[in-house]
Amino acid sequence: MRKFILYFLLLFLFLAVGTFSYGFWNGKKIRGFAAQVSEVEAKHDLAPQIEKIETSFRDNGKKEISQIRDESRQFSVELEGVIKEAEAAKKEIENLNASKPAENAKKLTGEYYWKLAREASDLKGIIDYMSQIIEVAAVFGEMKENSSLDEMKNIIARAKEKGSAIQTENLPQSLQTNAQNLKDSMNTFLVKMEDVATLKSENTAALDESYNDFSQKEDEFFSAGKKYIDGMEDLDIIEGKIKSEIERLGRVRFSLK
């Protein structure tokens, strides 16, 4: 009987030592996970880039067309890089091993980078669309007071070609109607201009009317785009949740979960 009790106590002691060892080992593992997530966040600090581009877009009304054109090209490239990097960061998070107490932090961080990629993609769609409109307008910069009829015909024809090729599919769905309306209005204006330039029509009032409609549709799209960007989810909220989770996990010393 005494031997049985002794064996039982020894077994209990081994189990206790094993349990405590596992608890401290798991606590270290959880803290390690928190450190890994912090490293990923530090390496892929993408939110400031998106915020900078959003701010610049809102200020487009104060800029020259040439500046908007140059910035749009640059921002499109930057946003493409942000999308790829956010997707890469999401995969890095998904590949981390997380014990049960760290599962929420892993889920939140993966969701955060998914949302970053989506916002960058939406913003790129808006900027790329505006770039297409600007490229059409830039063609008219070649038109001079002393341009010949043939030169004017050529300029208008190239503008119509660019206008017809404008794509709206990469825009957020809620902006596609405004975008299509702007495209259609611009193409109507180009047709009216061609008619007047080639003397098919002398109705300059119709040309003025189509230009005014085009300008209105342009303002409507820009306002809708600005409203869409202003309505994007504030990712500072989810960033704050991740920070709290990481701080909590960083304090874990012992855990059996």
Side-chain angles (χ1 to χ4, degrees):
M1 186 66 180
R2 289 180 179 178
K3 289 183 178 180
F4 174 77
I5 294 173
L6 180 61
Y7 287 143
F8 176 79
L9 290 175
L10 286 173
L11 178 61
F12 179 79
L13 178 62
F14 284 134
L15 289 174
V17 170
T19 298
F20 275 98
S21 296
Y22 172 79
F24 285 113
W25 173 82
N26 198 40
K28 182 179 179 181
K29 183 181 176 183
I30 291 170
R31 295 196 305 276
F33 173 83
Q36 288 178 310
V37 172
S38 295
E39 287 175 8
V40 172
E41 287 189 307
K43 185 169 61 172
H44 302 291
D45 186 18
L46 303 173
Q49 295 183 55
I50 296 179
E51 291 170 3
K52 178 194 72 174
I53 295 172
E54 288 177 351
T55 300
S56 180
F57 180 85
R58 293 187 186 97
D59 292 338
N60 274 353
K62 306 172 185 176
K63 301 173 185 174
E64 296 292 331
I65 193 72
S66 58
Q67 182 182 356
I68 297 174
R69 186 184 188 187
D70 293 341
E71 286 183 350
S72 295
R73 289 172 176 171
Q74 174 190 337
F75 290 155
S76 181
V77 173
E78 289 183 16
L79 287 168
E80 183 65 32
V82 169
I83 294 167
K84 291 179 180 178
E85 190 172 343
E87 290 172 346
K90 182 175 178 291
K91 287 182 180 179
E92 286 183 40
I93 294 296
E94 289 173 345
N95 289 334
L96 295 179
N97 292 321
S99 53
K100 192 170 183 179
E103 285 177 354
N104 190 48
K106 181 176 180 177
K107 178 183 176 182
L108 281 173
T109 311
E111 182 181 348
Y112 170 71
Y113 281 110
W114 177 81
K115 289 182 175 181
L116 267 178
R118 187 187 64 185
E119 287 198 2
S121 180
D122 286 349
L123 188 56
K124 184 178 186 301
I126 295 170
I127 287 175
D128 286 348
Y129 175 79
M130 288 299 296
S131 292
Q132 294 177 87
I133 298 293
I134 291 170
E135 287 300 323
V136 177
V139 174
F140 290 101
E142 303 172 19
M143 195 176 290
K144 311 296 181 184
E145 290 184 9
N146 59 349
S147 295
S148 68
L149 181 58
D150 286 340
E151 287 173 335
M152 290 178 64
K153 286 181 181 179
N154 182 54
I155 289 172
I156 295 171
R158 286 194 291 115
K160 286 177 63 180
E161 183 180 0
K162 285 180 176 289
S164 297
I166 289 175
Q167 297 179 340
T168 62
E169 307 84 57
N170 293 328
L171 283 161
Q173 190 172 0
S174 62
L175 294 177
Q176 289 185 12
T177 298
N178 287 95
Q180 187 62 47
N181 289 342
L182 174 54
K183 176 182 176 180
D184 292 343
S185 180
M186 183 183 65
N187 287 333
T188 298
F189 168 62
L190 292 174
V191 170
K192 298 291 185 185
M193 177 177 283
E194 184 178 47
D195 288 345
V196 171
T198 57
L199 305 179
K200 289 181 181 179
S201 172
E202 296 181 1
N203 189 357
T204 56
L207 176 62
D208 291 340
E209 183 180 345
S210 65
Y211 175 74
N212 290 335
D213 184 70
F214 166 53
S215 297
Q216 180 183 340
K217 294 296 191 298
E218 189 174 33
D219 290 341
E220 288 173 358
F221 176 81
F222 182 78
S223 296
K226 183 177 179 297
K227 183 178 179 181
Y228 183 89
I229 290 173
D230 289 342
M232 283 181 174
E233 183 178 350
D234 183 2
L235 296 184
D236 286 345
I237 296 173
I238 191 171
E239 277 190 285
K241 291 179 180 179
I242 294 170
K243 182 179 179 181
S244 296
E245 281 291 300
I246 295 306
E247 289 177 350
R248 180 182 67 81
L249 296 175
R251 294 192 296 269
V252 174
R253 291 290 178 268
F254 182 90
S255 176
L256 296 177
K257 295 182 180 180

